[in-house]
Amino acid sequence: MAQHVAGPEIERLIQLLARLPGLGPRSARRAALHLIKKRETLLNPLSDAMRIANERIVVCSSCGNVDTSDPCTVCRDAKRDPSILVVVEDVSDLWALERSGAINARYHVLGGVLSPLDGVRPEHLNLERLVARASEPDVAEIILALNATVDGQTTAHYITELLAHLPVKVTKLAHGVPVGGELDYLDEGTLSAAIRQRTSF
């Protein structure tokens, strides 16, 4: 049976780090040891930053993004195109789209996708606020930027029906061959989607 080699405070730090995505028990031990070794330059500032973040972070009442202000930085940006609303599953998807710089629009975070197996129903998602925002006179297009999973596509269909009575165009992200991708390495679903959604050259 494995023995503890450190006190309960350090073991707790390791256990909490191990809960983070991408960190298992061994990686968490390495991370904890690194933080302890760099106590003055890393552990103390990180501890302060986490405490301040915990005190100040709020969920934007408009779009569902997380920030230290409500409305969030994205919603307050007057340079964004108010006619386009990009619907995403989670805040991480919003951040990914922002990193890409592909679009300068407003966002709406659903907080998940419909999943009967996991008990996620429409009332668990941020759908009521989405309908209200889609009804605003400035909004002309809703882009469904949801994951290409069964639950993601089910949610996309549900939202399309939910917004059918509004005079807005509902579009979705294209799926298919990624930039720089080689056909030999792609799965059958991706290849099928690429063939179905082919465009003129």
Side-chain angles (χ1 to χ4, degrees), residues 13-175:
L13 174 63
I14 293 166
Q15 289 169 4
L16 290 171
L17 287 171
R19 293 183 188 177
L20 294 172
L23 284 185
R26 291 178 70 181
S27 299
R29 284 193 182 280
R30 282 196 298 273
L33 190 56
H34 184 74
L35 286 168
I36 291 164
K37 284 180 180 178
K38 305 281 187 183
R39 203 169 181 178
E40 295 302 318
T41 59
L42 198 56
L43 183 59
N44 291 341
L46 178 63
S47 174
D48 288 342
M50 291 176 74
R51 180 184 50 77
I52 291 167
N54 184 48
E55 291 169 359
R56 298 185 185 170
I57 287 175
V58 293
V59 175
C60 178
S61 59
S62 180
C63 74
N65 187 18
V66 291
D67 204 340
T68 53
S69 62
D70 182 15
C72 70
T73 305
V74 175
C75 288
R76 288 194 327 267
D77 186 355
K79 295 177 185 161
R80 291 183 179 272
D81 185 349
S83 69
I84 301 174
L85 194 58
V86 182
V87 179
V88 294
E89 177 181 336
D90 196 30
V91 173
S92 60
D93 301 322
L94 186 159
W95 289 3
L97 285 167
E98 279 297 286
R99 276 196 315 273
S100 76
I103 192 163
N104 189 35
R106 295 187 299 159
Y107 293 91
H108 187 84
V109 180
L110 291 175
V113 287
L114 296 174
S115 178
L117 292 176
D118 297 322
V120 181
R121 298 188 302 277
E123 58 269 23
H124 297 132
L125 303 180
N126 192 8
L127 291 170
E128 193 175 313
R129 180 75 186 126
L130 172 61
V131 175
R133 294 182 75 198
S135 304
E136 293 171 3
D138 288 345
V139 178
E141 181 180 4
I142 306 289
I143 300 175
L144 301 177
L146 302 176
N147 293 323
T149 60
V150 172
D151 290 341
Q153 296 310 298
T154 301
T155 306
H157 287 295
Y158 184 84
I159 291 171
T160 303
E161 291 175 13
L162 203 60
L163 303 177
H165 69 286
L166 297 173
V168 292
K169 180 167 76 169
V170 180
T171 59
K172 66 174 186 168
L173 295 183
H175 302 293

